[in-house]
């Protein structure tokens, strides 16, 4: 009888794998590199090989493994075909089908941001809640949406692409998506760093950020110590993201908004500034939506992938 | 054995009622006035009375009626309690419970915009689709969202309140909701009329709208005949609503967006201008979301209420 499952999270530089029991408890985790060369043709055999090796190591037969859940950084359709995953070089790859044939184990595939949200919902900051958004603020801005306990994928696998909400007419440089003025351009770690660089150049105000190599983390640290320019930059970040999340609430009215990703490592200050502007723009019935920081960090994806199997 | 159900739609001035078979076919419809005096205390007995009278007329016993579905212009919780319905004078009214006790028939209650969306999905412009938004542009802007075939209600019953997305900093007058610059203030029938009045005053351009009493309908008719000022106003309407819907797509990525409400009576020109700006701001994967006009008109609410019972 099946007692285990695998949760797998394919990233641009490494693939995270976890062996879980069917209560969703992580028993063991490891990583392998993501070999993106040659349109990512090594990725699927690498995953299959790593899973089979782990099964041999623990003398597990296919009957003891309920399934593999896999998160992919891209658009995935209902049949588990990856329509587009730019960072992996993939287009129209029937991942679930190929990997099921290769391993003899049922495979379920989903977008990685959606699975991270499912992981936080079941095993992290979303516990006890049925309607949740996980917003990850890192190099880019990702988002997974859970309604009534289930992941929302969208007709084109693009639900939760809130990083591409248009928020700023003044941005004239194109976003990765081809549009201009996307949330991700101004409120991601990269956006925060760029804005700090810009304001340092434009202003004569003294700042501990001057002469340092800039990062979003340093901007938040400086803001915590009361640095005026850094506080201004963090305020702009809060304005952009808080206002965008207020718009999202007018659409789906979530119970809780969980903030994760690299930038959330700065701690409660992130929630504080986002919530300040969220409240200013939210529809009144949604003004008290709960905010909190993510708990599972980089493991959210493998937890969610396992939960996809557990169901 | 139950063969019938009732679909009921409570509006601010009249209550629409329909008798349906369990295939969702409307057999008969009628209306009664909405008596909102004394905090709307007459509304529930009026509905119960009208339903019982119709059952006597057709010699129907409670065993032959599967249920009553009711749409309410306000926020409804999962137990069928109306948390707030400003236009009816209602606050915390356990509608499903009271009406079940009064009629002996199971009652299900939902927000009216959500039910209109369910009606269009099952019996109107949404047929064959699982993920849909119905946007109703009338005096205000309402929206019902269907994902994976089911109504999205939201944690505070406020999902689909897209009329209260902040879109315009220049609007200084407060919206009904208490905020400023809401979509509903600039892109509803009232918003279109106000904008036309403003531009007629500010511009010296000749226009067939001059000297007429203004309405959204007249603005669209004038735009169809090529009136330059009217075309400008319709363009602004398309900009505000199309851009807001592009933001919504970044959140839920619907398959189809159906436009209903009084303003949709102007016809394809509405879709044309909304879609023009939608495409400009949409995340590329969502640029080809289908747009169409609603089919069921004012009956969408009773159709959806019946479908709530049919399940």
């Amino acid at each position: 009888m099946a007692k285990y499952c695998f949760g797998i999270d394919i990233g641009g530089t490494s693939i995270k794998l976890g062996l879980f029991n069917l209560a969703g408890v992580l028993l063991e985790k490891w990583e392998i590199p993501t070999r993106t060369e040659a349109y990512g043709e090594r990725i699927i055999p690498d995953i299959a090989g790593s899973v089979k090796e782990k099964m041999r190591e623990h003398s597990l037969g296919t009957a003891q493994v309920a399934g593999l859940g896999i998160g992919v950084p891209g658009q995935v359709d209902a049949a588990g075909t990856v329509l587009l995953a730019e960072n992996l070089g993939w287009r129209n790859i029937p991942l679930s089908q190929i990997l099921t044939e290769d391993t003899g184990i049922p495979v379920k595939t989903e977008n990685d941001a959606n699975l991270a949200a499912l992981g936080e919902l079941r095993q992290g900051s979303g516990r006890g809640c049925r309607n949740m958004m996980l917003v990850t603020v890192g190099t880019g801005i990702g988002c997974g949406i859970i309604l009534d306990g289930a992941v929302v994928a969208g007709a084109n696998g693009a639900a939760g692409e809130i990083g591409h909400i248009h928020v700023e007419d003044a941005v004239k440089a194109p976003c990765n998506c081809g549009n201009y003025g996307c949330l991700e351009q101004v409120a991601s770690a990269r956006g925060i760093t760029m804005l700090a660089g810009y304001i340092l150049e434009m202003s004569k105000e003294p700042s501990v950020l001057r002469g340092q190599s800039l990062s979003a983390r340093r901007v938040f640290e400086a803001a915590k110590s009361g640095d005026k320019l850094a506080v201004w930059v963090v305020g702009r970040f809060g304005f952009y993201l808080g206002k965008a999340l207020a718009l999202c609430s007018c659409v789906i009215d979530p119970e809780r908004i969980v903030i994760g990703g690299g930038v959330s490592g700065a701690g409660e200050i992130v929630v504080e500034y986002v919530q300040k502007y969220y409240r200013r723009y939210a529809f009144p019935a949604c003004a008290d939506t709960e905010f909190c920081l993510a708990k599972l960090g980089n493991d959210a994806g493998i937890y969610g992938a396992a939960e996809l199997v557990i169901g």
Side-chain angles (χ1 to χ4, degrees), chain A:
Chain A
M1 213 189 95
K3 289 184 174 172
Y4 304 97
C5 65
F6 288 89
I8 299 166
D9 185 14
I10 310 181
T13 55
S14 71
I15 300 167
K16 297 185 180 62
L17 301 96
L19 177 63
F20 291 80
N21 68 22
L22 296 185
V25 176
L26 177 60
L27 305 173
E28 194 181 338
K29 66 174 177 174
W30 66 101
E31 291 188 23
I32 59 175
T34 309
R35 296 199 279 168
T36 54
E37 61 269 22
Y39 297 101
E41 66 173 24
R42 294 298 312 153
I43 297 174
I44 302 179
D46 283 352
I47 292 173
S50 187
V51 165
K52 286 184 208 166
E53 193 188 313
K54 188 60 62 179
M55 288 171 65
R56 270 194 302 273
E57 188 186 320
H58 292 288
S59 309
L60 297 177
T62 54
Q64 286 158 282
V65 179
L68 310 182
I70 307 201
V72 175
Q75 292 153 41
V76 179
D77 76 7
T81 293
V82 181
L83 303 176
L84 181 65
E86 215 126 13
N87 293 338
L88 307 181
W90 284 4
R91 195 178 278 272
N92 294 317
I93 303 288
L95 177 60
S96 288
Q97 188 196 323
I98 297 174
L99 208 49
T100 300
E101 286 166 8
D102 200 347
T103 60
I105 299 168
V107 176
K108 287 186 176 179
T109 305
E110 247 296 352
N111 170 271
D112 57 353
N114 293 347
L115 288 189
L118 188 62
E120 285 289 346
L121 180 89
R122 299 268 184 88
Q123 304 287 348
S125 286
R127 278 190 163 177
C129 133
R130 303 275 300 161
N131 299 291
M132 191 197 94
M133 290 175 77
L134 170 66
V135 182
T136 51
V137 187
T139 317
I141 291 186
C143 171
I145 297 172
I146 309 280
L147 292 179
D148 205 17
V151 163
V152 176
N156 305 288
E161 288 288 357
I162 70 163
H164 301 284
I165 289 180
H166 178 87
V167 297
E168 182 53 270
D169 289 335
V171 174
K172 302 300 180 198
C175 180
N176 287 335
C177 78
N179 288 342
Y180 297 81
C182 293
L183 177 63
E184 178 165 299
Q185 291 184 280
V186 292
S188 62
R190 200 183 290 165
I192 293 165
T193 310
M194 278 180 57
L195 187 58
Y198 176 78
I199 193 72
L200 283 169
E201 210 176 292
M202 299 299 287
S203 157
K204 292 195 162 35
E205 186 80 25
S207 168
V208 299
L209 294 172
R210 293 195 186 277
Q212 286 194 32
S213 94
L214 286 172
S215 71
R217 196 54 171 277
R218 283 197 169 142
V219 173
F220 277 100
E221 289 311 318
K224 284 189 212 171
S225 74
D227 185 88
K228 212 170 146 185
L229 281 192
V231 167
W232 185 86
V233 173
V234 170
R236 288 305 289 176
F237 158 78
F239 164 76
Y240 286 122
L241 185 53
K243 185 176 169 189
L245 292 174
L247 309 183
C248 294
S249 274
C250 286
V251 184
I252 54 165
D253 180 18
E255 193 177 338
R256 194 174 298 169
I257 297 176
V258 179
I259 301 182
V263 166
S264 72
E268 285 299 329
I269 187 174
V270 176
V271 166
E272 184 191 318
Y273 276 85
V274 171
Q275 200 168 15
K276 173 179 170 185
Y277 289 95
Y278 174 85
R279 285 173 181 275
R280 181 169 303 174
Y281 289 102
F283 182 61
C286 309
D288 294 327
T289 304
E290 298 166 25
F291 277 78
C292 63
L293 293 169
K295 271 189 188 155
L296 302 177
N298 287 332
D299 292 340
I302 56 171
Y303 272 98
E307 292 294 336
L308 192 63
V309 174
I310 295 167

